[in-house]
Amino acid sequence: MPKTLMQSVVDQLQKERARLEDELHRVKAALTAFGKVYMQGSRPTTRKKRAISAAGRRRIAAAQRARWAKIRARKK
């Protein structure tokens, strides 16, 4: 029994729907991958900020004051 025009149109529409669903799946996968990279940035893991103790800051400040004192002493 030959296909009628209506049956062939329905078949073509079903094929087109399947193709579009596949294409949408690919676009969704690409957006998901892009979103993960965008949200995480270029580095996959983030580092914890380093904290410096008060004693460490005092040592650094004292060393810097000594450097400046040495520079001022040379100028005089």
Side-chain angles (χ1 to χ4, degrees), residues 8-74:
S8 64
V9 169
V10 169
D11 287 344
Q12 286 178 347
L13 288 173
Q14 287 174 343
K15 287 178 185 178
E16 183 65 13
R17 179 181 178 202
R19 187 191 69 77
L20 288 172
E21 285 176 348
D22 184 50
E23 187 69 25
L24 284 173
H25 177 71
R26 290 179 188 172
V27 169
K28 185 178 177 181
L31 285 173
T32 301
F34 177 73
K36 287 180 183 176
V37 170
Y38 179 74
M39 295 301 288
Q40 292 177 355
S42 59
R43 286 183 276 160
T45 57
T46 57
R47 282 187 170 177
K48 190 175 181 181
K49 284 190 174 185
R50 294 184 184 185
I52 207 168
S53 67
R57 283 195 299 271
R58 281 193 296 272
R59 283 193 306 269
I60 292 170
Q64 187 62 41
R65 282 193 294 274
R67 282 187 219 108
W68 279 111
K70 188 187 266 187
I71 291 171
R72 285 190 202 109
R74 284 189 212 153

